[in-house]
Amino acid sequence: MREITSNKTRLWLPSIYNSLKKFPERRAGAGYHSESKAKEYKHVCKRACQRAVDQLRAGALAVEAVTAALVELEDSPFTNAGMGSNLNLSGEIECDASIMDGKSLHFGAVGSISGIKNPVLVANCLLTEAQKGKLSAGRIPPCFLVGRGAHDWAISHGIPPCPSEKMATKFSLSAYKRNKRKMEMAEKMDAGQNQEKKRRQSSENENGSGCLDTVGAVVVDSEGNVAAAVSSGGLAMKHPGRVGQAAHYGCGSWAENACNMNSYSAAVSTSGCGEHLIRTMLARECSAAMQSEDAHQALLEAMQNKFIMEFLWSHTTESMCVGYMSAQDSKAKTHISRLPPGTVPGKSLAIEGGVCRLTGIVD
């Protein structure tokens, strides 16, 4: 995300599988979004945008607004985050989430957490507690917790538990049963092959079994502060205890206000195969790339009296659902970006973007 001028507020949210985000926007995740459910995907994006903008209009900072957007996404059965998340090999739901405040550069994350309806609330609580300073006896407060430890910490800090069985939906349960049958059939077919090939093919089945992935949002508030957050149920049929990019520092989310070293404020959220995104620290790399000049910089500078910022999204999956809204708008705009006909998912790339027109520049 790249701030051209500093004006009111704008929110963006990501889509559901392989996506990059820049500036305020919202996405339901990258992957495949069926035409029959397009209305539901867009509606969920609109609600998330509205929740964040309502917070901003009430005077909330970017980090509070981005949390509100993620809660809305996690509560939707149409996203792979929170309620309705993918089930792992053991038939359990384990979620990852992270949040970053561009003003303080504080970061909070949870990985492989079960029994919590809104993992982003735990990540945000970790961020908030870390900002209070050291614990008793000079102990450093945690910023990243996983598994049972994350669950127990959340409960001790007032975040209510939610049994995993109540977080599963009919869709996620049927998908688990279908994927399990496929894996069992594949294992029978592979019985005569060596162990190495079996492991490799099992991994391929696991990585290809889920349609939707990480959801996320980026927000800029009226003071020019940016924040980013992501949440994910992870790959379908993943190994228990696996932690994806949504929880890793610099991989799932990144936010950084403009400063002496950075000409632009940047907020990024990513969605896709966690193992690949972790190795590239994609969110942080995208933020760094936004600081360099490019071919359309002159156009952006020419328009800076009318537009607050530019935001981009990109995906290699068949489709990605995006929503965006500013405090000047009466309702959110949504769009399902799709690869052109005849292109091959995973080998083709779609990049789209837009600018937000605002009034009343704030110094």
Side-chain angles (χ1 to χ4, degrees):
M1 157 185 336
R2 208 170 174 171
E3 186 177 10
I4 304 309
T5 63
S6 180
N7 198 359
K8 293 290 183 177
T9 55
R10 166 159 183 73
L11 160 76
W12 87 267
L13 310 166
S15 85
I16 304 172
Y17 193 99
N18 268 349
S19 59
L20 315 180
K21 303 305 186 270
K22 162 181 158 172
F23 270 42
E25 165 192 45
R26 138 87 177 100
R27 81 183 171 184
Y32 172 71
H33 300 77
S34 66
E35 295 284 359
S36 62
K37 289 187 174 64
K39 184 176 180 179
E40 286 85 352
Y41 293 136
K42 290 182 176 181
H43 189 52
V44 124
C45 286
K46 287 182 178 180
R47 290 202 311 270
C49 287
Q50 191 63 59
R51 281 284 296 274
V53 168
D54 287 346
Q55 290 280 317
L56 294 169
R57 287 171 175 163
L61 296 178
V63 72
E64 299 169 306
V66 82
T67 300
L70 262 292
V71 167
E72 188 70 35
L73 294 174
E74 289 175 336
D75 287 347
S76 171
F78 294 102
T79 65
N80 177 28
M83 297 294 292
S85 289
N86 287 332
L87 276 63
N88 65 17
L89 279 172
S90 300
E92 300 291 329
I93 289 178
E94 294 180 330
C95 297
D96 306 327
S98 69
I99 185 169
M100 187 166 180
D101 177 14
K103 181 179 180 180
S104 66
L105 299 184
H106 276 90
F107 172 84
V110 290
S112 192
I113 187 172
S114 296
I116 297 294
K117 180 184 176 185
N118 297 113
V120 72
L121 291 180
V122 190
N124 185 47
C125 191
L126 282 164
L127 182 152
T128 302
E129 290 298 310
Q131 291 177 328
K132 296 179 180 179
K134 294 182 179 180
L135 305 174
S136 60
R139 292 175 298 135
I140 302 299
C143 68
F144 184 8
L145 293 173
V146 299
R148 186 69 191 181
H151 175 274
D152 293 346
W153 189 94
I155 301 303
S156 70
H157 285 75
I159 297 175
C162 180
S164 293
E165 57 268 22
K166 290 188 177 181
M167 293 177 63
T169 62
K170 291 183 179 180
F171 176 80
S172 62
L173 287 171
S174 62
Y176 170 73
K177 294 176 182 178
R178 182 172 62 252
N179 290 327
K180 190 172 183 179
R181 286 195 299 269
K182 290 181 179 179
M183 291 187 67
E184 290 173 348
M185 291 177 61
E187 289 172 357
K188 290 179 180 179
M189 294 176 63
D190 293 343
Q193 300 181 12
N194 62 49
Q195 194 64 24
E196 180 61 29
K197 287 185 177 180
K198 288 171 68 178
R199 281 198 298 266
R200 184 167 61 248
Q201 291 179 0
S202 176
S203 175
E204 290 171 354
N205 288 334
E206 178 179 325
N207 291 339
S209 58
C211 292
L212 303 179
D213 198 43
T214 308
V215 300
V218 297
V219 172
V220 57
D221 62 29
S222 59
E223 297 180 5
N225 302 310
V226 294
V230 289
S231 182
S232 178
L235 296 172
M237 308 304 287
K238 65 183 180 182
H239 194 284
R242 179 260 190 187
V243 177
Q245 107 284 351
H248 281 77
Y249 182 77
C251 302
S253 63
W254 187 265
E256 193 169 4
N257 283 8
C259 61
N260 293 335
M261 296 181 62
N262 298 324
S263 301
Y264 303 100
S265 294
V268 180
S269 80
T270 69
S271 176
C273 179
E275 281 66 23
H276 299 319
L277 299 182
I278 290 170
R279 287 194 288 268
T280 59
M281 293 193 71
L282 189 60
R284 187 174 182 178
E285 287 296 314
C286 286
S287 176
M290 291 300 101
Q291 304 304 323
S292 62
E293 300 297 330
D294 56 32
H296 62 266
Q297 182 60 31
L299 175 61
L300 295 177
E301 292 177 350
M303 301 174 70
Q304 61 184 355
N305 290 327
K306 296 181 180 179
F307 297 92
I308 181 172
M309 67 187 68
E310 171 200 27
F311 59 99
L312 301 173
W313 56 88
S314 172
H315 61 98
T316 60
T317 51
E318 290 189 44
S319 60
M320 186 173 100
C321 186
V322 180
Y324 50 96
M325 182 178 183
S326 80
Q328 309 298 321
D329 299 328
S330 60
K331 61 181 180 179
K333 296 178 181 178
T334 58
H335 172 63
I336 294 183
S337 174
R338 300 183 184 278
L339 290 179
T343 55
V344 180
K347 296 184 178 181
S348 303
L349 175 69
I351 301 177
E352 296 181 334
V355 287
C356 180
R357 184 171 184 173
L358 297 177
T359 60
I361 303 300
V362 175
D363 293 333

mmCIF file of all heavy atoms in Angstrom, residues 265-297:
data_model
loop_
_atom_site.group_PDB
_atom_site.id
_atom_site.type_symbol
_atom_site.label_atom_id
_atom_site.label_comp_id
_atom_site.label_asym_id
_atom_site.label_seq_id
_atom_site.Cartn_x
_atom_site.Cartn_y
_atom_site.Cartn_z
ATOM 1 N N SER A 265 3.709 5.311 3.620
ATOM 2 C CA SER A 265 3.154 4.350 4.567
ATOM 3 C C SER A 265 2.741 3.116 3.776
ATOM 4 O O SER A 265 2.290 3.230 2.633
ATOM 5 C CB SER A 265 1.934 4.931 5.287
ATOM 6 O OG SER A 265 2.298 6.016 6.105
ATOM 7 N N ALA A 266 2.887 1.953 4.366
ATOM 8 C CA ALA A 266 2.543 0.726 3.653
ATOM 9 C C ALA A 266 1.877 -0.266 4.583
ATOM 10 O O ALA A 266 2.278 -0.421 5.743
ATOM 11 C CB ALA A 266 3.792 0.091 3.037
ATOM 12 N N ALA A 267 0.837 -0.912 4.097
ATOM 13 C CA ALA A 267 0.179 -1.990 4.829
ATOM 14 C C ALA A 267 -0.114 -3.109 3.851
ATOM 15 O O ALA A 267 -0.650 -2.864 2.768
ATOM 16 C CB ALA A 267 -1.108 -1.490 5.487
ATOM 17 N N VAL A 268 0.252 -4.318 4.199
ATOM 18 C CA VAL A 268 0.155 -5.454 3.285
ATOM 19 C C VAL A 268 -0.429 -6.656 4.014
ATOM 20 O O VAL A 268 -0.116 -6.900 5.183
ATOM 21 C CB VAL A 268 1.552 -5.850 2.745
ATOM 22 C CG1 VAL A 268 1.450 -7.035 1.778
ATOM 23 C CG2 VAL A 268 2.230 -4.676 2.073
ATOM 24 N N SER A 269 -1.277 -7.412 3.352
ATOM 25 C CA SER A 269 -1.679 -8.729 3.845
ATOM 26 C C SER A 269 -1.576 -9.707 2.688
ATOM 27 O O SER A 269 -1.829 -9.352 1.539
ATOM 28 C CB SER A 269 -3.101 -8.705 4.427
ATOM 29 O OG SER A 269 -4.066 -8.764 3.411
ATOM 30 N N THR A 270 -1.160 -10.930 2.993
ATOM 31 C CA THR A 270 -0.966 -11.937 1.945
ATOM 32 C C THR A 270 -1.855 -13.142 2.188
ATOM 33 O O THR A 270 -2.314 -13.395 3.302
ATOM 34 C CB THR A 270 0.499 -12.412 1.893
ATOM 35 O OG1 THR A 270 0.794 -13.171 3.086
ATOM 36 C CG2 THR A 270 1.458 -11.242 1.783
ATOM 37 N N SER A 271 -2.073 -13.891 1.142
ATOM 38 C CA SER A 271 -2.896 -15.090 1.211
ATOM 39 C C SER A 271 -2.373 -16.085 0.196
ATOM 40 O O SER A 271 -2.079 -15.713 -0.936
ATOM 41 C CB SER A 271 -4.360 -14.716 0.899
ATOM 42 O OG SER A 271 -5.176 -15.856 0.868
ATOM 43 N N GLY A 272 -2.213 -17.322 0.595
ATOM 44 C CA GLY A 272 -1.700 -18.318 -0.332
ATOM 45 C C GLY A 272 -1.083 -19.490 0.397
ATOM 46 O O GLY A 272 -1.341 -19.711 1.574
ATOM 47 N N CYS A 273 -0.241 -20.234 -0.277
ATOM 48 C CA CYS A 273 0.427 -21.382 0.326
ATOM 49 C C CYS A 273 1.466 -20.887 1.331
ATOM 50 O O CYS A 273 2.471 -20.285 0.961
ATOM 51 C CB CYS A 273 1.095 -22.244 -0.742
ATOM 52 S SG CYS A 273 1.956 -23.671 -0.043
ATOM 53 N N GLY A 274 1.208 -21.107 2.611
ATOM 54 C CA GLY A 274 2.050 -20.576 3.664
ATOM 55 C C GLY A 274 3.515 -20.937 3.559
ATOM 56 O O GLY A 274 4.388 -20.100 3.819
ATOM 57 N N GLU A 275 3.792 -22.183 3.186
ATOM 58 C CA GLU A 275 5.184 -22.621 3.116
ATOM 59 C C GLU A 275 5.988 -21.783 2.126
ATOM 60 O O GLU A 275 7.152 -21.443 2.375
ATOM 61 C CB GLU A 275 5.252 -24.103 2.740
ATOM 62 C CG GLU A 275 4.982 -25.070 3.883
ATOM 63 C CD GLU A 275 3.552 -25.019 4.417
ATOM 64 O OE1 GLU A 275 2.642 -24.577 3.671
ATOM 65 O OE2 GLU A 275 3.337 -25.410 5.571
ATOM 66 N N HIS A 276 5.379 -21.426 1.012
ATOM 67 C CA HIS A 276 6.069 -20.597 0.019
ATOM 68 C C HIS A 276 6.206 -19.153 0.501
ATOM 69 O O HIS A 276 7.255 -18.524 0.336
ATOM 70 C CB HIS A 276 5.317 -20.623 -1.313
ATOM 71 C CG HIS A 276 5.202 -21.986 -1.913
ATOM 72 N ND1 HIS A 276 6.242 -22.894 -1.912
ATOM 73 C CD2 HIS A 276 4.165 -22.608 -2.532
ATOM 74 C CE1 HIS A 276 5.855 -24.013 -2.518
ATOM 75 N NE2 HIS A 276 4.601 -23.856 -2.889
ATOM 76 N N LEU A 277 5.152 -18.625 1.095
ATOM 77 C CA LEU A 277 5.167 -17.235 1.531
ATOM 78 C C LEU A 277 6.105 -17.016 2.718
ATOM 79 O O LEU A 277 6.696 -15.950 2.863
ATOM 80 C CB LEU A 277 3.748 -16.786 1.901
ATOM 81 C CG LEU A 277 2.725 -16.837 0.757
ATOM 82 C CD1 LEU A 277 1.378 -16.329 1.234
ATOM 83 C CD2 LEU A 277 3.195 -16.024 -0.429
ATOM 84 N N ILE A 278 6.254 -18.022 3.565
ATOM 85 C CA ILE A 278 7.165 -17.912 4.702
ATOM 86 C C ILE A 278 8.605 -17.797 4.212
ATOM 87 O O ILE A 278 9.391 -16.993 4.721
ATOM 88 C CB ILE A 278 7.012 -19.129 5.644
ATOM 89 C CG1 ILE A 278 5.659 -19.062 6.364
ATOM 90 C CG2 ILE A 278 8.157 -19.178 6.658
ATOM 91 C CD1 ILE A 278 5.311 -20.320 7.130
ATOM 92 N N ARG A 279 8.955 -18.576 3.215
ATOM 93 C CA ARG A 279 10.336 -18.570 2.719
ATOM 94 C C ARG A 279 10.692 -17.238 2.056
ATOM 95 O O ARG A 279 11.862 -16.874 1.976
ATOM 96 C CB ARG A 279 10.552 -19.722 1.728
ATOM 97 C CG ARG A 279 10.623 -21.090 2.399
ATOM 98 C CD ARG A 279 11.158 -22.131 1.446
ATOM 99 N NE ARG A 279 10.210 -22.478 0.406
ATOM 100 C CZ ARG A 279 9.335 -23.482 0.498
ATOM 101 N NH1 ARG A 279 9.292 -24.222 1.593
ATOM 102 N NH2 ARG A 279 8.513 -23.746 -0.488
ATOM 103 N N THR A 280 9.688 -16.514 1.581
ATOM 104 C CA THR A 280 9.965 -15.252 0.885
ATOM 105 C C THR A 280 9.702 -14.024 1.747
ATOM 106 O O THR A 280 10.022 -12.906 1.331
ATOM 107 C CB THR A 280 9.089 -15.138 -0.381
ATOM 108 O OG1 THR A 280 7.697 -15.193 0.008
ATOM 109 C CG2 THR A 280 9.377 -16.271 -1.350
ATOM 110 N N MET A 281 9.110 -14.199 2.950
ATOM 111 C CA MET A 281 8.703 -13.063 3.796
ATOM 112 C C MET A 281 7.963 -12.039 2.928
ATOM 113 O O MET A 281 8.276 -10.845 2.897
ATOM 114 C CB MET A 281 9.913 -12.427 4.481
ATOM 115 C CG MET A 281 10.571 -13.313 5.509
ATOM 116 S SD MET A 281 11.741 -12.455 6.580
ATOM 117 C CE MET A 281 10.645 -11.473 7.579
ATOM 118 N N LEU A 282 6.960 -12.528 2.222
ATOM 119 C CA LEU A 282 6.321 -11.768 1.156
ATOM 120 C C LEU A 282 5.732 -10.436 1.590
ATOM 121 O O LEU A 282 5.865 -9.432 0.887
ATOM 122 C CB LEU A 282 5.241 -12.624 0.490
ATOM 123 C CG LEU A 282 4.637 -12.038 -0.769
ATOM 124 C CD1 LEU A 282 5.702 -11.826 -1.830
ATOM 125 C CD2 LEU A 282 3.533 -12.941 -1.304
ATOM 126 N N ALA A 283 5.066 -10.386 2.740
ATOM 127 C CA ALA A 283 4.428 -9.132 3.157
ATOM 128 C C ALA A 283 5.459 -8.022 3.329
ATOM 129 O O ALA A 283 5.274 -6.893 2.859
ATOM 130 C CB ALA A 283 3.654 -9.344 4.454
ATOM 131 N N ARG A 284 6.539 -8.333 4.006
ATOM 132 C CA ARG A 284 7.574 -7.327 4.228
ATOM 133 C C ARG A 284 8.257 -6.938 2.916
ATOM 134 O O ARG A 284 8.587 -5.764 2.692
ATOM 135 C CB ARG A 284 8.607 -7.859 5.211
ATOM 136 C CG ARG A 284 9.642 -6.825 5.634
ATOM 137 C CD ARG A 284 10.555 -7.360 6.712
ATOM 138 N NE ARG A 284 11.519 -6.364 7.152
ATOM 139 C CZ ARG A 284 12.407 -6.561 8.115
ATOM 140 N NH1 ARG A 284 12.438 -7.719 8.751
ATOM 141 N NH2 ARG A 284 13.247 -5.607 8.444
ATOM 142 N N GLU A 285 8.478 -7.913 2.043
ATOM 143 C CA GLU A 285 9.112 -7.630 0.757
ATOM 144 C C GLU A 285 8.234 -6.719 -0.096
ATOM 145 O O GLU A 285 8.739 -5.818 -0.776
ATOM 146 C CB GLU A 285 9.393 -8.944 0.013
ATOM 147 C CG GLU A 285 10.528 -9.763 0.590
ATOM 148 C CD GLU A 285 11.854 -9.039 0.496
ATOM 149 O OE1 GLU A 285 12.161 -8.479 -0.572
ATOM 150 O OE2 GLU A 285 12.582 -9.005 1.508
ATOM 151 N N CYS A 286 6.918 -6.950 -0.073
ATOM 152 C CA CYS A 286 6.008 -6.095 -0.845
ATOM 153 C C CYS A 286 6.027 -4.661 -0.312
ATOM 154 O O CYS A 286 6.005 -3.702 -1.083
ATOM 155 C CB CYS A 286 4.583 -6.647 -0.778
ATOM 156 S SG CYS A 286 4.319 -8.129 -1.761
ATOM 157 N N SER A 287 6.066 -4.532 1.001
ATOM 158 C CA SER A 287 6.124 -3.205 1.598
ATOM 159 C C SER A 287 7.386 -2.467 1.173
ATOM 160 O O SER A 287 7.341 -1.283 0.817
ATOM 161 C CB SER A 287 6.087 -3.316 3.127
ATOM 162 O OG SER A 287 6.240 -2.055 3.732
ATOM 163 N N ALA A 288 8.509 -3.169 1.180
ATOM 164 C CA ALA A 288 9.772 -2.557 0.775
ATOM 165 C C ALA A 288 9.735 -2.150 -0.690
ATOM 166 O O ALA A 288 10.238 -1.087 -1.076
ATOM 167 C CB ALA A 288 10.926 -3.522 1.024
ATOM 168 N N ALA A 289 9.103 -2.993 -1.523
ATOM 169 C CA ALA A 289 9.031 -2.700 -2.953
ATOM 170 C C ALA A 289 8.216 -1.450 -3.231
ATOM 171 O O ALA A 289 8.475 -0.721 -4.199
ATOM 172 C CB ALA A 289 8.420 -3.894 -3.692
ATOM 173 N N MET A 290 7.234 -1.182 -2.371
ATOM 174 C CA MET A 290 6.387 -0.012 -2.566
ATOM 175 C C MET A 290 7.132 1.309 -2.353
ATOM 176 O O MET A 290 6.647 2.373 -2.703
ATOM 177 C CB MET A 290 5.188 -0.060 -1.608
ATOM 178 C CG MET A 290 4.180 -1.141 -1.926
ATOM 179 S SD MET A 290 3.462 -0.971 -3.585
ATOM 180 C CE MET A 290 4.397 -2.208 -4.483
ATOM 181 N N GLN A 291 8.315 1.254 -1.756
ATOM 182 C CA GLN A 291 9.074 2.474 -1.500
ATOM 183 C C GLN A 291 9.854 2.944 -2.722
ATOM 184 O O GLN A 291 10.319 4.083 -2.769
ATOM 185 C CB GLN A 291 10.041 2.245 -0.323
ATOM 186 C CG GLN A 291 9.374 1.775 0.953
ATOM 187 C CD GLN A 291 8.275 2.710 1.429
ATOM 188 O OE1 GLN A 291 8.387 3.935 1.310
ATOM 189 N NE2 GLN A 291 7.205 2.136 1.958
ATOM 190 N N SER A 292 9.997 2.087 -3.708
ATOM 191 C CA SER A 292 10.774 2.448 -4.893
ATOM 192 C C SER A 292 9.906 3.185 -5.909
ATOM 193 O O SER A 292 8.694 2.990 -5.985
ATOM 194 C CB SER A 292 11.375 1.203 -5.537
ATOM 195 O OG SER A 292 10.347 0.334 -5.966
ATOM 196 N N GLU A 293 10.532 4.024 -6.707
ATOM 197 C CA GLU A 293 9.805 4.753 -7.750
ATOM 198 C C GLU A 293 9.463 3.804 -8.895
ATOM 199 O O GLU A 293 10.161 2.839 -9.169
ATOM 200 C CB GLU A 293 10.683 5.896 -8.291
ATOM 201 C CG GLU A 293 11.090 6.906 -7.232
ATOM 202 C CD GLU A 293 9.888 7.640 -6.638
ATOM 203 O OE1 GLU A 293 8.900 7.810 -7.373
ATOM 204 O OE2 GLU A 293 9.951 8.019 -5.466
ATOM 205 N N ASP A 294 8.377 4.106 -9.589
ATOM 206 C CA ASP A 294 8.008 3.268 -10.727
ATOM 207 C C ASP A 294 7.430 4.121 -11.849
ATOM 208 O O ASP A 294 7.341 5.344 -11.733
ATOM 209 C CB ASP A 294 7.028 2.165 -10.296
ATOM 210 C CG ASP A 294 5.785 2.720 -9.636
ATOM 211 O OD1 ASP A 294 5.344 3.828 -10.005
ATOM 212 O OD2 ASP A 294 5.245 2.059 -8.761
ATOM 213 N N ALA A 295 7.017 3.470 -12.901
ATOM 214 C CA ALA A 295 6.608 4.176 -14.115
ATOM 215 C C ALA A 295 5.414 5.091 -13.915
ATOM 216 O O ALA A 295 5.307 6.133 -14.562
ATOM 217 C CB ALA A 295 6.312 3.167 -15.210
ATOM 218 N N HIS A 296 4.481 4.728 -13.021
ATOM 219 C CA HIS A 296 3.289 5.564 -12.900
ATOM 220 C C HIS A 296 3.371 6.527 -11.728
ATOM 221 O O HIS A 296 2.376 7.130 -11.331
ATOM 222 C CB HIS A 296 2.035 4.688 -12.788
ATOM 223 C CG HIS A 296 2.008 3.790 -11.591
ATOM 224 N ND1 HIS A 296 2.454 2.495 -11.632
ATOM 225 C CD2 HIS A 296 1.590 4.017 -10.337
ATOM 226 C CE1 HIS A 296 2.297 1.947 -10.445
ATOM 227 N NE2 HIS A 296 1.776 2.848 -9.641
ATOM 228 N N GLN A 297 4.552 6.711 -11.165
ATOM 229 C CA GLN A 297 4.707 7.628 -10.044
ATOM 230 C C GLN A 297 4.319 9.067 -10.412
ATOM 231 O O GLN A 297 3.697 9.777 -9.622
ATOM 232 C CB GLN A 297 6.143 7.595 -9.532
ATOM 233 C CG GLN A 297 6.384 8.485 -8.315
ATOM 234 C CD GLN A 297 5.515 8.083 -7.143
ATOM 235 O OE1 GLN A 297 5.189 6.907 -6.992
ATOM 236 N NE2 GLN A 297 5.108 9.058 -6.339
#
